[in-house]
Amino acid sequence: MNTRSLLCSLALLALLPTARAAAPVQQIQATLAKPAVMCGRFDQTKQLTGIKKPLQAYGRFCVLKGRGILWQTLQPFPSTLRITRDAIVQIQDGRVAMKLDAQQEPVVKMINSVLFSLLAGDLSQLDQLFELDGSLRDGHWQVALKARQPALAKAIGDISLAGASYVDKVSMKEASGDRTDISFSAIKTGEGAMTAEEGALFD
Amino acid sequence: MTKPARHLQRLPRLLALAWLLAVLLVAGHNAWLWLGQRASPDTDILALLPGASSKDAVRQQAFSHMVDSAQQKLVVLVGDRDWKRAQAGAQAYLTVLHAHADLVAPINDDSAQWQSQWLGSLDRSRSLLLGDAQRAQLATTTAQQWNQRALGGLYGAFGGPRLGAWQDDPFGLFGDWVQERARETPVRPRDGMLFVERDGVSYALLLLELKAPAFSMQAQEQVVPLLAQARRAARTQAGEVVSGGVVLHAAAASAQASSESATIGAGSLLGILLLMWLTFRSLKPILYIALSIAVGCLGALSVSMLVFGKIHLLTLVFGASLIGIAQDYGIYFLCARLAAPATQDSATLLRRLLPGLALMLLAALIGYLGMALTPFPGLQQMAVFSALGLVFAWLTVACWFPQLIGPQTLCATPRAQGFGQSIARWPDLLGGFAWHLVLPAAVALIGLAIAGVARLHSSDDIRALQKSPPELLQDQMRISQLLELAAPVQFYLVRGASAEAVLQQEEALREKLQALVQRKLITGVQAVSNWAPSQQRQQDNLALLRRALLEPQGESPDAVTLTAQAIGESPQWAQALRQRMLDKTQPITPEEFLATPAGAASRHLWLGQVDGQFASIVALRGLTDYRQLGQLAAVAEGMPGVQWVDKVGEISSVLRQYRIYMGWALLCAYAAIFALLALRYRRRAWRALAPPLLASLLTLGLFGWLGQPLQLFHVLAGLLVLGLGVDYGIFLLESSRDQRPHAWLTVALSAASALLSFGLLALSHSPPLHAFGLTMLCGMLLVWLLAPLFTHPGPAAHATPDAQPDKESA
């Protein structure tokens, strides 16, 4: 995972002022479960301009309320990203490939909170940065996020989320034509959701 | 009547008229200055200090560069645990300022646009820009590892938005470099504002620019209340507002100085008026003295403005003490008029008094001359101002008083008469009685004083000279802590024959400073070469980039080829990617960089070409432990073209130099005045000098025992103790036994009012004025008490006004 560009984009994310929501955010919010621990599988497809084949990856993710996010890519090569309140750490080949401290990099905390909102579907948080346009039918919802500020819109393009009790899909489309689709499956919550190894990565 | 005699009679009248003309001119000039031109006093304390080693133009410019860039800026941090409240507070603050954009305006309100602009301006050189960490990585990391990193970027879940397309920065090098540069400040853009966080409190940072000069009192009077209003508005939303800026300190200093100059001036004037009333029970002498002082002040203001172009507020405060001396001449004339017989007309009286009056003026001028000869612009101004004031007041007494005050004009109150007589009860220490008691007591006293002087230690720290209100200092410290600001008064000055040489030397210096960063003595370094490396370094970077990423090493393919293979792309694709990186290699020069939006924050660091050579500043961030300055100075040693500049230390050492210099000047003034007095008093001359000398010695001894550190300003006060004290000797030596009570009255009036004015200076919150005032307080009190002891006429003294004053009487 390219944490550097993630960092830059989210630093830009943080540029935005707050405004009111247009979508039925509250109803959608109400359909979402808000578990303390949530783990599952992700499948990701990226289509980049200038690169012929779509780039596919999958792995496991965990979202721990109030603590952080674990994003473990398994294929095509193993890589782990851990985002906590105080640091963002990338582990590759069993060693720390990159570490960003909140003390060193003040936006780390903001990145953590925005990513958390994105994965946990915390729309009320996202509402501050994006214009939300969504719909809800039979317990299934989808929301399109459009950056409130032109500079951010230019940098990250459009994001859409879809789901029911959990976020099922995230799609990101950039002005350059690059496109990333992530789908989540096999979501488990509660005590047994997280493996011991994953738990150990948080300690 | 003979012709010359008639001529002699007309002369005083002509002089008086001529002086009237001069005074009218001066008054007109003053009215034009203060009412017409609306001139206002200067308040910058640095303007009072000498340009240290001013021969070095580069150094001077370096310092003014650093200070000027700070001077017009205001930093405001609006903080709250809740970022939204902090934002709202900042908005409220700005709303108040909005209506007064001609006074204060935000420097950058569109941080988002600014950020994309500055990234864009460096884009075409991105492959040449490598930080220290990336250079180390490129030197050690294998092509396989770089390939992993490129793939990490490609497969990353949120890898979409980045600094440009993936192809422009496949190995994340430019992103890393930007991150490293961003770490030069803890400030980040957030929600269209600048944001900094510490201990759970989020702050919105507002950078404001003052449109009027920070040291103009008029600007201060408008800006400070406006900022206070904005602060109140912000506090209704957010929990904390911290503000800092030179203008706040300057305003606090000038508010204090102007209120003090008003109190000291008014107090001194009131005290003198009261004394005069008690002595003469008439308004006339009060008016005469006030007239001489007023002419003195107007003349001093007018000519000083012509000479210096502006006048400093502290000169005016110091000038308030001028009143103390200027009145002496008037008092001397008035008291002599009281003592003189009614048959003697005032013109004749003046002729008799002229030698004494001239000596008094000369002695005071010699004292000020010592001050005027220092290379301290502030001291020069104060000395010239005071000397001018004295000359104007003196001429007023000499030209006008004989015309205004006839033989019948004055009579002293019984209380004043009684006081004058009290001199008869003053013991004659030198008169030969009780030597067995006097000598041991004198030896003991002087011994004690000398022991005290031996205990004296000195302090020349410039920081002790300026005392800002504690809440301002607290805010200032909080701001430097939050923003990790670079100190504007301590830095390295780097020089070279070309811009390239300067940048290369900067790079070498930064390398050496890394050790101090690791030891946490400083948190970092600000330098233009951080952004625009030397051409040499840029070429090195490109070579490093080619070798590590773009060219195969022996059997194993290069990183770009590995990445192409991993995602199933062709060798042509790999070649295109390589070319894309090599296209972004437009060399960047410091001048080009500084012209970009990214360079705005570094402009004060680049001096460019000065005096045929190039120079730049390397500033230090997070410097807090000032005891370690020696280590920083040591880094510059052995590096040609690199010089450690510590303005605080420099000014302090200049203060020390002048303290010593003025000490010698004081001794020379004693010698010069002694020579002057010896011309008139012969062997009695020492009697006029002994009281101020002894008083100064005792005062210094007292400070030694009290543990007061010796400063330049004590020495300056010593000069005035001499200038004033010698007057008392002259009053008493000039007078015969009959005139002695009136001379004593003169001394008392003069000393009491001098004490009043200088005593009030001792109450000043400005440390230099306090030191000055305290010395004057002790010194003048002692001179007053000692003067009669040394100038006793003795039993053989002459009783007539025509007595030969040069006879040794004891």
Side-chain angles (χ1 to χ4, degrees):
Chain A
M1 173 176 241
N2 187 345
T3 38
R4 271 156 301 279
S5 46
L6 169 79
L7 193 73
C8 293
S9 61
L10 288 169
L12 285 171
L13 267 186
L15 290 171
L16 301 170
T18 63
R20 304 285 76 79
V25 170
Q26 298 210 314
Q27 291 102 300
I28 295 173
Q29 195 77 10
T31 66
L32 279 160
K34 292 165 194 72
V37 182
M38 172 172 76
C39 289
R41 177 191 160 112
F42 72 84
D43 284 276
Q44 174 198 304
T45 305
K46 284 181 85 169
Q47 281 168 312
L48 300 184
T49 43
I51 293 174
K52 278 180 289 181
K53 284 195 288 185
L55 303 164
Q56 286 181 321
Y58 73 86
R60 265 179 68 76
F61 76 98
C62 285
V63 180
L64 276 77
K65 198 168 189 173
R67 291 195 61 190
I69 298 157
L70 199 62
W71 191 268
Q72 292 179 284
T73 307
L74 301 172
Q75 281 294 336
F77 54 88
S79 164
T80 301
L81 187 75
R82 188 186 66 205
I83 300 167
T84 57
R85 190 173 310 152
D86 301 320
I88 295 178
V89 180
Q90 190 179 15
I91 301 160
Q92 219 164 331
D93 302 335
R95 62 185 179 93
V96 174
M98 194 271 314
K99 183 171 178 176
L100 274 180
D101 258 304
Q103 272 182 332
Q104 218 176 28
E105 186 38 71
V107 290
V108 164
K109 284 181 199 178
M110 284 187 281
I111 293 167
N112 169 26
S113 91
V114 173
L115 263 188
F116 193 92
S117 310
L118 209 58
L119 296 180
D122 188 349
L123 299 178
S124 61
Q125 285 288 318
L126 293 172
D127 176 39
Q128 296 175 13
L129 303 172
F130 302 94
E131 270 174 42
L132 304 183
D133 187 9
S135 59
L136 176 69
R137 193 191 294 168
D138 305 334
H140 286 268
W141 55 264
Q142 61 156 29
V143 176
L145 285 74
K146 203 169 166 58
R148 290 190 186 276
Q149 231 180 19
L152 180 66
K154 196 178 134 202
I156 66 163
D158 298 330
I159 299 178
S160 63
L161 301 177
S165 301
Y166 307 107
V167 178
D168 293 338
K169 274 196 171 72
V170 177
S171 298
M172 293 180 275
K173 242 194 296 185
E174 278 176 72
S176 65
D178 289 0
R179 187 189 165 94
T180 306
D181 293 290
I182 307 169
S183 62
F184 302 101
S185 57
I187 290 175
K188 284 189 183 143
T189 58
E191 285 291 298
M194 198 163 67
T195 65
E197 289 86 7
E198 287 164 345
L201 280 169
F202 265 108
D203 295 326
Chain B
M1 206 175 271
T2 60
K3 255 187 178 176
R6 207 181 306 134
H7 182 71
L8 210 66
Q9 265 195 333
R10 283 222 314 269
L11 185 67
R13 212 166 272 278
L14 278 175
L15 277 176
L17 276 174
W19 189 240
L20 180 67
L21 203 68
V23 169
L24 285 177
L25 260 174
V26 160
H29 184 228
N30 265 285
W32 176 77
L33 273 179
W34 308 110
L35 303 174
Q37 296 288 99
R38 303 201 65 80
S40 78
D42 192 15
T43 60
D44 181 2
I45 193 121
L46 285 174
L48 293 173
L49 294 170
S53 50
S54 48
K55 279 162 270 164
D56 191 340
V58 181
R59 218 177 144 103
Q60 274 296 94
Q61 200 184 331
F63 185 65
S64 59
H65 232 71
M66 289 296 272
V67 168
D68 289 350
S69 77
Q71 198 154 290
Q72 292 305 110
K73 280 183 195 143
L74 273 159
V75 173
V76 179
L77 286 155
V78 183
D80 199 281
R81 297 212 156 260
D82 179 359
W83 167 237
K84 274 188 210 147
R85 289 180 59 86
Q87 272 177 284
Q91 281 306 339
Y93 197 102
L94 289 176
T95 307
V96 171
L97 294 190
H98 194 70
H100 304 273
D102 53 324
L103 287 176
V104 196
I107 290 173
N108 249 321
D109 25 29
D110 195 352
S111 57
Q113 202 194 346
W114 179 78
Q115 190 179 24
S116 64
Q117 264 179 355
W118 82 250
L119 285 175
S121 64
L122 297 170
D123 185 65
R124 62 208 179 107
S125 310
R126 52 161 68 188
S127 292
L128 298 173
L129 301 173
L130 297 172
D132 295 337
Q134 292 118 47
R135 284 170 57 85
Q137 280 172 3
L138 285 171
T140 57
T141 312
T142 64
Q144 187 56 45
Q145 284 166 322
W146 282 113
N147 169 44
Q148 287 294 323
R149 192 166 162 180
L151 293 177
L154 273 176
Y155 286 97
F158 303 97
R162 53 176 88 74
L163 298 173
W166 176 87
Q167 286 101 317
D168 288 327
D169 192 22
F171 302 100
L173 288 169
F174 187 60
D176 270 359
W177 182 83
V178 168
Q179 275 302 312
E180 203 179 287
R181 298 284 72 79
R183 240 170 266 149
E184 286 187 15
T185 164
V187 180
R188 292 292 176 272
R190 181 175 179 182
D191 299 342
M193 285 196 157
L194 293 174
F195 156 86
V196 63
E197 195 248 80
R198 180 64 74 99
D199 304 327
V201 181
S202 301
Y203 293 89
L205 167 65
L206 306 176
L207 292 174
L208 309 173
E209 190 177 15
L210 194 64
K211 300 293 182 187
F215 290 106
S216 126
M217 277 184 82
Q218 210 182 343
Q220 289 165 11
E221 277 160 17
Q222 290 174 310
V223 167
V224 172
L226 180 64
L227 295 179
Q229 190 197 339
R231 188 191 187 99
R232 280 193 299 277
R235 287 286 274 116
T236 60
Q237 308 285 330
E240 193 184 345
V241 178
V242 190
S243 37
V246 172
V247 67
L248 296 174
H249 292 267
S254 42
Q256 182 190 309
S258 55
S259 91
E260 276 178 2
S261 72
T263 348
I264 290 168
S268 161
L269 200 63
L270 277 178
I272 292 158
L273 294 181
L274 185 69
L275 274 172
M276 293 296 146
W277 180 255
L278 288 176
T279 310
F280 300 105
R281 195 59 48 85
S282 155
L283 272 178
K284 271 189 197 162
I286 300 174
L287 285 177
Y288 297 147
I289 304 258
L291 181 71
S292 75
I293 292 172
V295 172
C297 289
L298 288 178
L301 280 172
S302 179
V303 183
S304 295
M305 283 297 278
L306 287 177
V307 172
F308 297 105
K310 60 183 179 180
I311 200 148
H312 198 280
L313 192 67
L314 275 185
T315 304
L316 295 184
V317 176
F318 185 86
S321 65
L322 163 79
I323 294 169
I325 309 177
Q327 56 160 349
D328 275 11
Y329 312 133
I331 293 174
Y332 185 48
F333 184 88
L334 291 178
C335 289
R337 184 65 263 179
L338 275 181
T343 52
Q344 196 172 37
D345 70 32
S346 287
T348 318
L349 175 68
L350 180 73
R351 270 198 294 282
R352 179 166 73 76
L353 296 180
L354 262 180
L357 270 174
L359 271 182
M360 287 159 64
L361 180 66
L362 275 176
L365 291 185
I366 286 175
Y368 283 127
L369 191 70
M371 263 169 88
L373 288 180
T374 62
F376 262 97
L379 290 184
Q380 285 169 358
Q381 203 184 75
M382 289 176 189
V384 169
F385 182 87
S386 302
L388 282 168
L390 291 189
V391 170
F392 272 82
W394 191 92
L395 284 171
T396 306
V397 169
C399 297
W400 285 357
F401 276 35
Q403 301 297 316
L404 293 169
I405 304 158
Q408 310 298 335
T409 321
L410 296 173
C411 63
T413 59
R415 194 181 297 135
Q417 301 277 16
F419 178 84
Q421 299 301 332
S422 73
I423 190 156
R425 293 192 293 278
W426 225 256
D428 179 11
L429 279 190
L430 306 173
F433 86 103
W435 273 107
H436 60 287
L437 288 178
V438 173
L439 199 61
V443 167
L445 195 64
I446 293 174
L448 213 62
I450 289 174
V453 171
R455 289 170 61 96
L456 268 180
H457 62 283
S458 53
S459 160
D460 303 297
D461 194 336
I462 172 77
R463 276 167 289 211
L465 289 188
Q466 208 168 6
K467 220 164 74 180
S468 283
E471 59 276 13
L472 273 185
L473 289 180
Q474 252 167 25
D475 272 17
Q476 195 67 51
M477 277 173 66
R478 184 82 181 134
I479 287 171
S480 343
Q481 214 179 34
L482 285 167
L483 303 185
E484 292 178 20
L485 292 179
V489 287
Q490 279 116 359
F491 52 82
Y492 294 97
L493 184 56
V494 182
R495 292 185 238 209
S498 62
E500 174 68 8
V502 168
L503 291 173
Q504 287 185 18
Q505 196 61 296
E506 270 193 15
E507 280 156 4
L509 174 64
R510 271 167 38 214
E511 219 154 277
K512 277 182 89 175
L513 286 171
Q514 269 309 304
L516 299 183
V517 174
Q518 249 131 46
R519 294 219 310 273
K520 303 218 188 311
L521 188 61
I522 49 176
T523 56
V525 171
Q526 284 179 349
V528 170
S529 59
N530 271 339
W531 295 85
S534 64
Q535 296 304 317
Q536 175 77 49
R537 175 64 59 96
Q538 291 182 38
Q539 291 315 307
D540 283 356
N541 285 349
L542 183 59
L544 196 59
L545 191 80
R546 280 174 179 276
R547 201 166 51 241
L549 301 173
L550 309 182
E551 290 160 5
Q553 299 296 306
E555 293 297 298
S556 62
D558 63 278
V560 174
T561 303
L562 286 175
T563 305
Q565 285 166 358
I567 58 170
E569 291 287 353
S570 64
Q572 289 77 19
W573 181 90
Q575 186 50 40
L577 191 63
R578 275 189 211 102
Q579 196 50 52
R580 221 180 154 94
M581 287 174 78
L582 291 174
D583 285 345
K584 307 277 186 180
T585 51
Q586 174 97 33
I588 187 164
T589 65
E591 284 78 13
E592 282 165 6
F593 161 68
L594 293 170
T596 68
S602 306
R603 261 166 227 161
H604 63 286
L605 298 175
W606 191 252
L607 299 169
Q609 198 167 9
V610 188
D611 271 7
Q613 54 181 344
F614 284 80
S616 75
I617 288 166
V618 173
L620 304 167
R621 286 189 302 115
L623 175 61
T624 46
D625 190 353
Y626 291 97
R627 288 164 303 176
Q628 309 290 324
L629 291 179
Q631 291 192 44
L632 291 160
V635 172
E637 274 163 33
M639 293 193 74
V642 178
Q643 186 181 15
W644 168 246
V645 178
D646 174 8
K647 194 68 182 177
V648 170
E650 224 168 77
I651 293 175
S652 300
S653 88
V654 168
L655 284 178
R656 180 176 168 275
Q657 255 177 323
Y658 293 139
R659 176 173 55 76
I660 295 165
Y661 177 89
M662 291 305 289
W664 286 109
L666 179 60
L667 292 180
C668 292
Y670 268 99
I673 293 173
F674 180 75
L676 183 73
L677 294 179
L679 289 178
R680 183 162 170 81
Y681 302 117
R682 309 292 154 112
R683 278 185 297 163
R684 278 165 64 86
W686 72 276
R687 290 167 173 262
L689 273 183
L693 186 65
L694 199 56
S696 300
L697 185 71
L698 289 174
T699 305
L700 286 181
L702 183 69
F703 287 164
W705 286 109
L706 291 177
Q708 275 238 346
L710 189 68
Q711 292 177 7
L712 173 63
F713 296 89
H714 292 119
V715 182
L716 294 180
L719 264 178
L720 276 184
V721 169
L722 166 62
L724 275 173
V726 77
D727 283 2
Y728 305 162
I730 295 171
F731 290 152
L732 293 169
L733 286 179
E734 281 288 318
S735 58
S736 64
R737 183 176 281 277
D738 287 354
Q739 296 161 339
R740 216 166 140 74
H742 283 103
W744 180 231
L745 186 62
T746 313
V747 169
L749 285 176
S750 160
S753 41
L755 280 177
L756 265 170
S757 43
F758 298 125
L760 285 173
L761 275 184
L763 293 176
S764 167
H765 284 88
S766 158
L769 290 179
H770 170 76
F772 185 86
L774 199 63
T775 314
M776 291 301 290
L777 192 68
C778 298
M780 291 319 295
L781 196 64
L782 286 168
V783 176
W784 185 8
L785 297 176
L786 289 171
L789 301 180
F790 287 92
T791 53
H792 211 281
H798 303 272
T800 59
D802 303 321
Q804 293 290 306
D806 56 349
K807 287 263 169 67
E808 175 63 67
S809 64

